[in-house]
Amino acid sequence: MARTAAVIGGGVIGGGWAARFALNGWNVRVYDPDPEAERKIGEVMGNARRSLPGLTDVALPAEGAISFHSSIAEAVEGAEWIQESVPERLDIKHSTFGAIQQACDPDAVIGSSTSGFKPSELQEGAARPGQIMVAHPFNPVYLLPLVELVPGDAGDAALIEVAKATLSSLGMYPLHLRKEIDAHVADRFLEAVWREALWLVKDGIATTEEIDNAIRYGFGIRWAQMGLFETYRVAGGEAGMKHFMAQFGPALKWPWTKLMDVPEFTDELVDLIAGQSDAQSGAYSIRELERIRDNNLVTMMRGLKAQDWGAGALLNAQEKLMRAGTALGARAAELPADKPVLTARRTVPLDWTDYNGHMTESRYLHAFADATDRFMEIIGCDAEYIRAGGSYFTAETHIQHLDEVHAGAVIEITTQVILGEGKKMHLWHEMREAERLLATGEHFLLHVSLETRKPAPPSAEIEAALVRFAQGHAGLPRPEGLGRAIGAAR
Amino acid sequence: MARTAAVIGGGVIGGGWAARFALNGWNVRVYDPDPEAERKIGEVMGNARRSLPGLTDVALPAEGAISFHSSIAEAVEGAEWIQESVPERLDIKHSTFGAIQQACDPDAVIGSSTSGFKPSELQEGAARPGQIMVAHPFNPVYLLPLVELVPGDAGDAALIEVAKATLSSLGMYPLHLRKEIDAHVADRFLEAVWREALWLVKDGIATTEEIDNAIRYGFGIRWAQMGLFETYRVAGGEAGMKHFMAQFGPALKWPWTKLMDVPEFTDELVDLIAGQSDAQSGAYSIRELERIRDNNLVTMMRGLKAQDWGAGALLNAQEKLMRAGTALGARAAELPADKPVLTARRTVPLDWTDYNGHMTESRYLHAFADATDRFMEIIGCDAEYIRAGGSYFTAETHIQHLDEVHAGAVIEITTQVILGEGKKMHLWHEMREAERLLATGEHFLLHVSLETRKPAPPSAEIEAALVRFAQGHAGLPRPEGLGRAIGAAR
């Protein structure tokens, strides 16, 4: 049964939480007195639907329902997780928590999206302080994994573990801070950089665009994958972190930042920044910028996924959880051998489309090759077996592109064994969106020794598992297009 | 003829410059009194050779020669660009510039890699101050595009333009700062974050690993593509940058950073950080971390390239320069029609390999599909034509994987037209590494209307260009494997 979350306060952050929960199959109950809340959350959902589901190579569960409620009491009823994203005023936060705790399950997690308040401040005067914790996400909440989880000294230990497990199941990364501090961790860095950047613009050293370029063409892309300390560890070379610190230690005394000082927040400064920002980005609407940003995040995160690193390693961990207990995680013996095998169920990611607006041709083979890998895993040719020196190499492929498909579509691939004996494996993949046949992939593979790079017999276990499917599939109808050559009459 | 750069001072930064120049076809003359310099630069070159050449979809020119010299005078002779990367002490910098200017071409650019000194400080007492400018790169210099170019008031205007054009031709982004300031721009942000991070570790709020995770799972990946201001512009939503600033303006007065204060640089602090860094990253050697970092940077930058955004847009701009005036930039009328057409000459990028250690199967189709796109461009089906509503869709593909190829190899694709008439285009691609045939791709395409998504005739110009190649190629030998079906006897 679907789990239920309550989102108190919509807007960009609350809407992002609603999207993250709903796309992971939770029902979401929203309370926000703003009459525009439904429209605003709908817009965030639109962005989230186009970008989040394709991040992983396994389709997310069916989307949960989002409902809107006229009171906090009604919204939090039956919710396992209640996320507060109301304006950053402590009096509003306190009255919101009061209303939540009057009506909610005492075992529910109450997370606060606050960027500045400490949990001890939020918990003041609460009926059950241990239930309230900071769960500070980052925009866009539906894509970025970081959540600063700060329970404070009053936090309930068991509930903290529930919160961490829940966030991980949503593909998020709970950064559990054991000591509370103003603005937690990440926003302290953002604030430091923001203050420095305001000085640079105010003093006419650089424009907003030049500052953005100084970040994104240099350290920004380093930090996206390793952060600060690991980057410097590498920069320090074999001499190590101590050497690096000794080299840059003296700079701590040098006037390399203005941050002993804070710029005055005047109308002139606001106009200067806003004007430069218009010159830099005004050619795009905010909606266009959001989509560009999300396209960029998806392609970078999927790139890191293939490297199994950083935000991409988190996606792989989430995917493993999603495969467990489903057909996409099963081994040969658990699967019937008398019908084609389901080898993929995934959402076409944003970065798989081309200038024609549909899935680009090489991604058909990417999806078929992943399906082949999954079939290899099913019969026992898994990562461990490959490390031990055996694998299958594809010798020949024939693809029929029968219909178009777009980003966001859920596609399934089923695989039929045409021939499986000795070193040979001849597979027939069919790719569908629901009932619609999109493409077929005919693949001829040979088992090889990774040492000699030459054909060699597979292990007896693999051959037995393959032969079982080959025999089971021998009774299936011959696929249309099997053995076709290009140029032959259709 | 190859251009010549001199690199004064090796090490990680000087070696990175040497690699960037050499891999872009420059001869590089190195002076460094360190007897280990040749080994160290060789190691940087090893990293650069495996990562840089595959960033673009066009192969770089033949690598230039790197030579080592026993005096500055000898090293700078004939150099158009002289890059100083000696230790950060002003007396050493001054004596180095003195020796350089005694021997170098007065029209050469002298760039300094200094992270802290202002150009006016570097230029003090120089024979020709206008020739010396800050050209501050970011590690790894061979991959990251940012160079802060700070000529100071004494900078020679013509030479600044030469410097900017040269850096752009190397695929770098010259950020020309018109006012000098301590630590330029980017390092002021790095210093601010570094100081804040030292406090967080010292105060026991977070470990080095937690801080890195707070960066890379959250704002780091945002900044990699949009920087600070554009990110906040999007976060501000339709209400705009002024609204965003008004919302966060008051925080400027709040204790959200420690940066009014500087942590004391003690042995204890160094041990604390170094120990946490070991716990975080000690499982990898520095060499392994460098390769992981470079793999990550390559995959993210290539992802952004496909989105034509940020660091990826810079790669596309560089690639356009590289194609101009070569067969890879020519149109149909400039190419002979009686032999197969060169449609790709590229280096296999780091992120195209798989768990078997070679180019993964779907990237063969990726390369063939890019070759098809290039052939379409040659006959006039270019971006402008596609925007106007016509294109070719691939109906069917047959690939023979004949041999393995690894990251870093230069591959060429030649394309033969088997049939070109009306809506039909039947192509035969052959992929080679030098003489070695790696794969063939047989592709059947139909010209379509992008409005109806149905087959439709191409423009008369395109059909004429296609027919010219079809007729010219009719006399070529029939390719081996053409029309093959999988399962047919070889």
Side-chain angles (χ1 to χ4, degrees):
Chain A
M1 219 196 81
R3 301 166 74 179
T4 300
V7 163
I8 309 302
V12 172
I13 298 299
W17 277 108
R20 175 74 83 161
F21 277 109
L23 290 171
N24 277 283
W26 290 52
N27 292 328
V28 179
R29 301 166 69 87
V30 179
Y31 169 76
D32 191 325
D34 179 358
E36 296 285 287
E38 193 160 347
R39 176 185 64 78
K40 287 182 184 168
I41 288 184
E43 285 172 4
V44 179
M45 275 302 289
N47 278 346
R49 276 195 198 101
R50 71 185 280 283
S51 57
L52 176 64
L55 269 185
T56 45
D57 295 338
V58 175
L60 293 173
E63 193 177 309
I66 299 188
S67 56
F68 293 83
H69 302 269
S70 57
S71 72
I72 288 180
E74 193 183 299
V76 302
E77 197 195 322
E80 278 181 63
W81 188 290
I82 299 147
Q83 186 68 27
E84 169 276 308
S85 310
V86 304
E88 288 285 274
R89 273 178 45 198
L90 200 51
D91 56 338
I92 303 180
K93 301 269 187 200
H94 283 157
S95 65
T96 303
F97 291 129
I100 291 171
Q101 291 200 318
Q102 270 183 18
C104 78
D105 183 333
D107 293 331
V109 174
I110 304 178
S112 171
S113 301
T114 183
S115 49
F117 293 115
K118 292 178 283 207
S120 62
E121 295 171 302
L122 300 176
Q123 292 157 350
E124 269 167 26
R128 295 178 299 277
Q131 190 181 13
I132 299 169
M133 55 190 88
V134 170
H136 176 231
F138 291 78
N139 189 44
V141 179
Y142 48 84
L143 289 180
L144 293 185
L146 183 64
V147 179
E148 291 174 319
L149 190 70
V150 202
D153 290 340
D156 179 285
L159 213 52
I160 295 167
E161 293 311 310
V162 169
K164 289 163 81 169
T166 303
L167 292 169
S168 296
S169 75
L170 297 170
M172 301 181 102
Y173 175 81
L175 177 61
H176 179 189
L177 295 180
R178 286 160 187 83
K179 282 195 198 178
E180 65 174 29
I181 185 172
D182 289 292
H184 328 311
V185 166
D187 275 5
R188 297 181 71 86
F189 297 129
L190 292 175
E191 186 68 20
V193 169
W194 176 245
R195 291 179 190 194
E196 188 66 36
L198 293 183
W199 274 120
L200 289 168
V201 175
K202 183 181 162 71
D203 291 347
I205 304 294
T207 64
T208 60
E209 181 168 9
E210 288 169 339
I211 288 169
D212 281 354
N213 287 342
I215 294 172
R216 67 190 185 147
Y217 297 148
F219 66 86
I221 203 160
R222 282 197 316 221
W223 284 2
Q225 39 93 43
M226 281 192 171
L228 176 76
F229 286 101
E230 198 160 65
T231 294
Y232 284 155
R233 184 184 179 91
V234 181
E238 298 299 342
M241 198 69 196
K242 279 199 186 190
H243 168 75
F244 176 83
M245 288 187 74
Q247 205 177 346
F248 284 89
L252 284 177
K253 299 281 185 205
W254 296 346
W256 278 15
T257 142
K258 279 261 189 165
L259 286 172
M260 292 72 169
D261 198 359
V262 174
E264 204 182 338
F265 191 74
T266 62
D267 285 353
E268 273 172 349
L269 181 60
V270 172
D271 286 343
L272 182 64
I273 303 263
Q276 289 188 1
S277 174
D278 286 350
Q280 173 188 355
S281 315
Y284 300 100
S285 72
I286 296 297
R287 186 51 42 93
E288 286 170 319
L289 284 173
E290 284 172 347
R291 293 186 175 186
I292 291 167
R293 175 199 63 194
D294 291 355
N295 291 357
N296 294 339
L297 292 176
V298 166
T299 194
M300 292 194 300
M301 289 169 78
R302 285 194 50 86
L304 291 176
K305 181 175 188 297
Q307 303 295 331
D308 198 26
W309 191 263
L314 297 179
L315 291 173
N316 286 331
Q318 184 195 16
E319 201 171 286
K320 207 170 160 190
L321 286 177
M322 291 161 70
R323 286 185 196 273
T326 76
L328 293 172
R331 284 309 182 93
E334 309 167 65
L335 296 165
D338 58 349
K339 57 177 194 176
V341 182
L342 179 74
T343 45
R345 185 164 201 282
R346 64 192 299 162
T347 304
V348 178
L350 271 186
D351 64 337
W352 279 22
T353 56
D354 68 8
Y355 54 83
N356 285 327
H358 56 200
M359 187 161 98
T360 197
E361 67 179 288
S362 68
R363 299 301 188 170
Y364 284 82
L365 182 50
H366 185 143
F368 283 140
D370 284 356
T372 300
D373 285 349
R374 171 65 191 133
F375 185 75
M376 284 162 56
E377 183 186 60
I378 288 171
I379 61 172
C381 185
D382 56 11
E384 193 187 339
Y385 180 87
I386 292 167
R387 268 195 303 276
S391 191
Y392 282 93
F393 283 1
T394 302
E396 209 168 342
T397 305
H398 179 246
I399 297 171
Q400 298 180 96
H401 296 273
L402 303 173
D403 208 345
E404 297 182 68
V405 64
H406 296 91
V410 174
I411 54 175
E412 286 191 346
I413 298 175
T414 53
T415 302
Q416 179 173 342
V417 179
I418 304 300
L419 174 75
E421 56 177 39
K423 298 167 247 183
K424 295 178 185 172
M425 180 159 75
H426 186 163
L427 301 178
W428 177 262
H429 297 304
E430 296 188 349
M431 182 192 296
R432 285 184 175 77
E433 183 192 12
E435 298 303 305
R436 195 162 64 95
L437 185 63
L438 304 173
T440 65
E442 185 180 356
H443 301 251
F444 188 80
L445 298 98
L446 287 168
H447 187 277
V448 296
S449 152
L450 289 174
E451 195 186 339
T452 64
R453 318 301 279 188
K454 301 265 186 255
S459 73
E461 292 72 22
I462 288 177
E463 188 170 8
L466 178 60
V467 164
R468 174 172 163 263
F469 283 110
Q471 290 174 347
H473 291 181
L476 295 173
R478 181 183 163 85
E480 195 182 324
L482 182 73
R484 244 185 77 85
I486 293 180
R490 280 172 192 266
Chain B
M1 219 195 82
R3 301 166 74 179
T4 300
V7 163
I8 310 301
V12 172
I13 298 299
W17 277 108
R20 175 74 83 162
F21 277 109
L23 290 171
N24 277 283
W26 291 53
N27 291 328
V28 179
R29 302 166 69 87
V30 179
Y31 168 75
D32 191 326
D34 179 359
E36 296 285 287
E38 192 161 347
R39 177 185 64 78
K40 288 182 184 168
I41 287 184
E43 286 172 4
V44 179
M45 275 301 289
N47 278 346
R49 277 195 199 101
R50 71 186 280 283
S51 57
L52 176 64
L55 268 185
T56 45
D57 295 339
V58 175
L60 293 173
E63 193 177 310
I66 300 189
S67 55
F68 292 83
H69 301 270
S70 57
S71 72
I72 287 180
E74 193 183 298
V76 302
E77 196 195 322
E80 278 181 63
W81 187 290
I82 298 147
Q83 186 68 26
E84 169 275 308
S85 310
V86 303
E88 289 286 275
R89 274 178 43 199
L90 201 51
D91 56 338
I92 302 181
K93 301 269 187 201
H94 283 157
S95 66
T96 302
F97 291 130
I100 291 172
Q101 290 200 319
Q102 270 182 19
C104 78
D105 183 334
D107 293 331
V109 173
I110 304 178
S112 171
S113 303
T114 183
S115 47
F117 293 115
K118 292 179 282 207
S120 62
E121 294 171 302
L122 301 176
Q123 292 158 350
E124 269 167 27
R128 295 179 299 276
Q131 191 180 12
I132 299 170
M133 55 189 89
V134 170
H136 176 232
F138 290 78
N139 190 42
V141 179
Y142 48 85
L143 290 181
L144 293 185
L146 183 64
V147 179
E148 290 174 320
L149 190 70
V150 202
D153 290 340
D156 179 286
L159 212 54
I160 295 167
E161 293 311 310
V162 169
K164 289 163 81 168
T166 303
L167 292 169
S168 295
S169 76
L170 297 170
M172 301 180 103
Y173 175 81
L175 177 62
H176 179 189
L177 295 180
R178 285 159 188 83
K179 282 195 198 177
E180 65 174 28
I181 185 172
D182 290 293
H184 328 311
V185 166
D187 275 4
R188 298 181 71 87
F189 298 130
L190 292 175
E191 186 68 21
V193 168
W194 176 245
R195 292 179 190 194
E196 188 67 35
L198 292 184
W199 274 120
L200 289 169
V201 174
K202 184 180 162 71
D203 291 347
I205 304 294
T207 64
T208 61
E209 181 169 9
E210 288 169 339
I211 288 169
D212 282 354
N213 287 341
I215 293 173
R216 67 190 185 146
Y217 297 147
F219 65 86
I221 203 160
R222 281 196 317 221
W223 283 3
Q225 40 92 43
M226 281 193 171
L228 176 75
F229 286 101
E230 198 159 65
T231 294
Y232 284 154
R233 184 185 179 90
V234 181
E238 299 298 343
M241 197 69 196
K242 279 200 186 189
H243 168 76
F244 175 84
M245 289 187 74
Q247 205 178 345
F248 284 89
L252 284 177
K253 299 280 184 206
W254 297 345
W256 278 15
T257 142
K258 279 261 190 165
L259 285 171
M260 291 73 171
D261 198 0
V262 174
E264 203 182 338
F265 191 73
T266 61
D267 286 353
E268 274 172 349
L269 181 59
V270 171
D271 286 344
L272 183 64
I273 302 265
Q276 289 188 1
S277 173
D278 287 349
Q280 173 187 355
S281 315
Y284 299 100
S285 72
I286 296 297
R287 186 50 42 92
E288 286 170 319
L289 284 173
E290 283 172 347
R291 293 186 175 187
I292 291 167
R293 175 199 63 193
D294 292 355
N295 291 357
N296 293 340
L297 292 175
V298 166
T299 194
M300 292 195 299
M301 290 169 76
R302 285 194 51 85
L304 291 175
K305 182 175 188 296
Q307 303 296 329
D308 198 27
W309 191 262
L314 297 178
L315 291 173
N316 286 331
Q318 183 194 15
E319 202 172 285
K320 207 170 160 189
L321 286 177
M322 290 160 71
R323 286 185 196 272
T326 76
L328 293 172
R331 284 307 182 95
E334 309 167 66
L335 296 166
D338 59 348
K339 57 177 193 176
V341 182
L342 179 74
T343 44
R345 185 164 200 282
R346 65 192 298 161
T347 304
V348 178
L350 272 186
D351 64 336
W352 279 22
T353 56
D354 67 8
Y355 53 84
N356 285 325
H358 57 200
M359 187 160 98
T360 198
E361 67 178 288
S362 68
R363 298 302 187 171
Y364 284 82
L365 181 50
H366 186 144
F368 284 140
D370 284 356
T372 300
D373 285 349
R374 170 65 190 131
F375 184 76
M376 283 162 56
E377 183 186 62
I378 288 171
I379 60 172
C381 184
D382 56 10
E384 193 188 340
Y385 180 87
I386 292 167
R387 267 194 304 276
S391 191
Y392 282 93
F393 283 1
T394 303
E396 209 168 342
T397 305
H398 179 248
I399 297 171
Q400 298 180 95
H401 296 273
L402 303 172
D403 209 345
E404 295 183 68
V405 65
H406 296 91
V410 175
I411 53 174
E412 285 191 347
I413 299 175
T414 52
T415 302
Q416 180 173 342
V417 179
I418 304 300
L419 174 75
E421 57 176 40
K423 298 167 245 183
K424 295 178 186 172
M425 180 158 74
H426 186 164
L427 301 178
W428 177 263
H429 297 304
E430 296 189 349
M431 182 191 296
R432 285 184 174 77
E433 182 191 12
E435 298 302 306
R436 195 163 63 95
L437 186 62
L438 304 172
T440 65
E442 185 179 356
H443 299 251
F444 187 81
L445 297 98
L446 286 168
H447 187 277
V448 296
S449 152
L450 289 174
E451 196 187 339
T452 65
R453 318 301 278 188
K454 301 262 186 256
S459 74
E461 292 72 20
I462 288 176
E463 188 170 7
L466 178 60
V467 165
R468 174 173 164 262
F469 282 110
Q471 289 174 347
H473 291 182
L476 294 173
R478 181 184 163 85
E480 196 182 323
L482 183 72
R484 243 185 78 84
I486 294 179
R490 280 173 191 264

